[in-house]
Amino acid sequence: MIIGNKEFKIKGRTYIMGILNVTPDSFSDGGKFNDLSNALNHAEQMIKEGVDIIDVGGESTRPNYTRISDEEEIDRVVPVIKELKKHFDIPLSVDTYKSKVAEASLDVGADLINDIWGLKYDANMANVISKYNVPTCIMHNRKETIYDNFMEDVLSDLQGSIDIALSAGIKRDKIIIDPGIGFAKTYEMNLILMNHLEELQKFNLPILLGTSRKSMIGKALDETVENRMEGTLATSVIGVMKGCNFVRVHDVLENLRAIRMTEAILREH
């Protein structure tokens, strides 16, 4: 898979997507990097630590988040993307479910669109991604935590998103899927999904896992956001063992080390 000017060899390798939230209210690092200088410094630090992709987010999607206008989100992410492109040679993802934000981001050099609504929120999103011929990560999500058969329904929902992408002309080799840990799922459902991640292999598409510091970890360990590092590392290791190709994390270096060790054991060299 090509993202930006970088080739990602999907077989037997897990890559790091580093989170760069330029928001005042993200659940884990809200307000830390919504200043341009701080955002650039954090991006540089993640690159030094070995990040493969940087995911820029301009609107918090934590539970009960406040939706902002397209214009405000564009004002937050576009200057950051411009500066990152000017200073660093790293593929950039944009975490948005709004087609206008996606288009504005792609116009200034974004390389991938990461949509938490799996192309189902904004009817024009798939068309924009197809027009720019860039990869997309489509996440499982739904409006209510109501399922008939949880795992079957998740897989069916993901198939629906894949169908939207293909119908819009997005090439299959440009699609990544994300099981959506923490979105429209109870604590127990998140644990079930983590334990059955291998079932997503049926799509024969790259899988991105995003668990970093999430409430599933907080609840399992009874820990606050700032004390969820070890829990996150455990989920990353399980993700590697179950075939995930990308992990989206706040703490790049620690996750990278855990992942490389896991890969070494699985390859036996």
Side-chain angles (χ1 to χ4, degrees):
M1 172 175 277
I2 305 294
I3 305 174
N5 60 4
K6 182 173 179 179
E7 182 180 358
F8 291 80
K9 298 182 186 299
I10 298 304
K11 290 281 185 191
R13 177 76 191 273
T14 303
Y15 295 92
I16 304 281
M17 176 184 278
I19 299 168
L20 182 59
N21 287 321
V22 289
T23 60
D25 57 342
S26 289
F27 81 95
S28 177
D29 52 9
K32 279 190 181 179
F33 310 117
N34 59 334
D35 167 86
L36 188 55
S37 174
N38 289 344
L40 291 176
N41 288 338
H42 187 54
E44 184 175 23
Q45 181 63 32
M46 288 195 289
I47 291 166
K48 285 178 181 174
E49 292 179 353
V51 78
D52 297 293
I53 307 171
I54 291 177
D55 189 44
V56 180
E59 178 183 273
S60 172
T61 52
R62 65 181 183 179
N64 305 311
Y65 67 94
T66 302
R67 189 185 188 280
I68 60 173
S69 69
D70 294 5
E71 292 71 26
E72 186 175 355
E73 191 173 343
I74 289 167
D75 288 345
R76 288 180 182 179
V77 300
V78 163
V80 174
I81 296 165
K82 283 182 177 177
E83 288 300 305
L84 289 172
K85 281 292 173 182
K86 190 187 299 181
H87 291 93
F88 307 114
D89 180 24
I90 190 84
L92 294 183
S93 164
V94 177
D95 180 4
T96 187
Y97 52 90
K98 303 167 189 170
S99 63
K100 286 183 180 177
V101 178
E103 188 145 28
S105 301
L106 293 167
D107 278 339
V108 294
D111 303 298
L112 181 150
I113 299 300
N114 182 15
D115 184 350
I116 65 160
W117 281 102
L119 311 178
K120 294 177 180 178
Y121 182 91
D122 185 329
N124 197 41
M125 180 63 102
N127 295 325
V128 167
I129 294 166
S130 177
K131 177 177 130 182
Y132 284 81
N133 195 30
V134 293
T136 182
C137 181
I138 49 183
M139 195 188 83
H140 177 266
N141 204 346
R142 52 166 60 187
K143 289 179 180 176
E144 293 184 293
T145 313
I146 300 171
Y147 299 86
D148 293 322
N149 182 302
F150 175 63
M151 281 305 301
E152 285 182 15
D153 290 352
V154 168
L155 296 174
S156 175
D157 290 351
L158 279 169
Q159 184 63 62
S161 288
I162 294 164
D163 291 343
I164 291 169
L166 295 174
S167 296
I170 298 171
K171 297 180 179 65
R172 194 171 180 87
D173 65 2
K174 292 187 180 297
I175 300 173
I176 301 167
I177 55 173
D178 178 345
I181 297 291
F183 289 82
K185 297 167 187 73
T186 64
Y187 168 64
E188 290 78 12
M189 287 173 181
N190 286 316
L191 295 177
I192 291 166
L193 190 50
M194 277 297 309
N195 198 30
H196 294 273
L197 285 171
E198 70 279 1
E199 293 190 28
L200 274 70
Q201 300 284 352
K202 66 171 277 190
F203 296 114
N204 199 28
L205 291 168
I207 300 165
L208 180 145
L209 181 66
T211 59
S212 188
R213 304 181 187 173
K214 285 187 174 175
S215 60
M216 172 189 73
I217 296 165
K219 189 159 185 179
L221 302 179
D222 191 23
E223 286 291 354
T224 56
V225 168
E226 58 270 19
N227 293 320
R228 296 176 186 174
M229 168 85 75
E230 298 88 349
T232 299
L233 296 178
T235 62
S236 292
V237 167
I238 289 170
V240 174
M241 295 180 75
K242 290 182 176 284
C244 294
N245 309 100
F246 300 88
V247 293
R248 181 180 179 274
V249 297
H250 298 87
D251 305 291
V252 171
L253 183 60
E254 294 84 352
N255 280 276
L256 181 63
R257 287 171 174 164
I259 285 167
R260 292 291 169 268
M261 188 67 232
T262 309
E263 289 176 336
I265 293 167
L266 293 176
R267 294 174 184 155
E268 300 177 6
H269 68 79

